[in-house]
Amino acid sequence: MQLPPTAALSSIVKHYLILESDRNIHSNYRLFSDGNPGIVFHYKNQFKQLYHNDVAQQTQPRSFVYGQITHYYDLQATGSLGMVVVVLHPYSINALFKVSADELNNSTINLIDFYGSEVHEIEAQIQSAKCSHEIIAVIEKFLLKKMTAAYPTEAAFNQAISLIYQHKGIVTVEGLLKIIPVTERQLQRKFKHYIGINPKKFADVIKLQHFLKLLKNHPPDDKLAAIVYDSGYYDQAHLNNWFKKSSGVTPLQYRSNSNLLAINFMQM
């Protein structure tokens, strides 16, 4: 279930995802980047998480913050699934937590590390809530207290991110620099601070997400070639390579997966 934020939080929060299941006990899931960081609240069983450069699995905290994901990773359910994902705008890590966004890349940071013991009370209220709307109300009350800034005030960054979204990621850094009055080094620094990754990598993620949205509305029995070029890829081999690198599966494997919890989150 996807729910919008209240207007007062819309500059920080894109939307909320509420994911529930009592059937997927010990199922495996895969998560890859959609360009957005987030905050997760588990109110049932937590996932075990395995990054592909780690040896052992780690159980996720009851509530945590995650930054930009630069490579896919796998999760395993340990029981019934019940979680809220606060999907943030790409720049919201800096606004909410007052840290450079790149410090949280590929990280799962316990929310307590940022906000202390008051998080226990929020977690208890979420677990005792009777419905999804009560859960969201608890989270929004908490976030409204913590939000002291919204959109970054850097005009060059604002213009760059707007152009990337406007062109659905099909834009080069050189193209951005022809429009935005900054040097490449300045632009790289702004993206690292506010988003966590450089503008090229961010544009690549947005381009892939554009392809996934086209794929969602594409007839399942049609070949992918019709939307490859519309998504900004040179050919299907180029798409396949980038897709496999980003998600660990091919576009056809992704399309045949009937267990998508979100556009970048699927049961394996």
Side-chain angles (χ1 to χ4, degrees):
M1 178 192 305
Q2 181 172 311
L3 297 172
T6 186
L9 284 168
S10 61
S11 63
I12 292 289
V13 178
K14 292 189 78 170
H15 57 262
Y16 304 99
L17 285 176
I18 298 181
L19 307 175
E20 287 189 338
S21 176
D22 293 320
R23 298 176 299 170
N24 296 331
I25 295 177
H26 305 304
S27 293
N28 294 318
Y29 298 86
R30 176 158 296 169
L31 180 67
F32 58 96
S33 179
D34 64 352
N36 304 306
I39 306 171
V40 172
F41 294 91
H42 286 289
Y43 54 88
K44 292 186 180 178
N45 298 95
Q46 294 116 288
F47 282 124
K48 286 186 177 180
Q49 180 173 310
L50 176 64
Y51 290 99
H52 289 271
N53 58 350
D54 289 340
V55 176
Q57 290 181 333
Q58 296 179 332
T59 300
Q60 291 181 335
R62 177 66 64 184
S63 58
F64 63 88
V65 181
Y66 65 91
Q68 288 290 340
I69 300 169
T70 62
H71 52 76
Y72 66 88
Y73 60 89
D74 292 324
L75 305 168
Q76 184 181 65
T78 60
S80 55
L81 172 63
M83 61 189 292
V84 180
V85 183
V86 184
V87 180
L88 300 172
H89 288 292
Y91 52 81
S92 295
I93 288 291
N94 177 262
L96 274 176
F97 302 105
K98 306 308 176 198
V99 297
S100 184
D102 64 301
E103 294 182 22
L104 270 66
N105 286 357
N106 298 313
S107 296
T108 297
I109 309 297
N110 198 317
L111 196 59
I112 292 172
D113 292 345
F114 285 107
Y115 295 134
S117 59
E118 65 177 305
V119 173
H120 291 306
E121 176 62 26
I122 303 303
E123 292 172 343
Q125 291 178 27
I126 288 173
Q127 288 188 291
S128 62
K130 297 178 181 178
C131 66
S132 301
H133 292 285
E134 284 189 13
I135 291 174
I136 299 303
V138 170
I139 293 172
E140 292 206 320
K141 183 178 179 181
F142 174 71
L143 291 178
L144 284 167
K145 288 196 303 181
K146 301 303 177 185
M147 187 181 76
T148 57
Y151 205 81
T153 57
E154 300 241 16
F157 170 80
N158 293 350
Q159 188 177 8
I161 196 171
S162 295
L163 286 168
I164 289 172
Y165 276 119
Q166 179 183 334
H167 292 280
K168 300 177 174 60
I170 310 171
V171 61
T172 64
V173 174
E174 292 76 14
L176 292 174
L177 293 173
K178 289 179 180 178
I179 302 172
I180 303 168
V182 295
T183 66
E184 182 174 356
R185 185 175 181 180
Q186 289 171 329
L187 189 63
Q188 300 274 2
R189 188 167 62 246
K190 293 178 191 301
F191 268 74
K192 181 180 179 181
H193 180 71
Y194 287 120
I195 294 184
I197 54 179
N198 65 47
K200 181 183 184 307
K201 287 185 178 179
F202 183 69
D204 284 340
V205 172
I206 300 307
K207 182 166 69 173
L208 184 62
Q209 293 300 306
H210 173 55
F211 167 76
L212 293 178
K213 291 172 184 176
L214 292 178
L215 183 64
K216 184 177 180 181
N217 298 317
H218 192 62
D221 54 345
D222 279 7
K223 294 182 179 180
L224 297 179
I227 59 174
V228 169
Y229 298 107
D230 290 341
S231 305
Y233 296 98
Y234 302 123
D235 52 36
Q236 192 156 341
H238 178 214
L239 167 67
N240 289 346
N241 289 336
W242 183 252
F243 200 100
K244 186 72 179 286
K245 180 181 178 181
S246 301
S247 68
V249 297
T250 68
L252 291 178
Q253 289 172 325
Y254 177 90
R255 183 166 68 169
S256 64
N257 191 315
S258 59
N259 296 304
L260 296 178
L261 280 75
I263 197 168
N264 65 321
F265 189 25
M266 56 188 166
Q267 185 177 342
M268 300 295 289

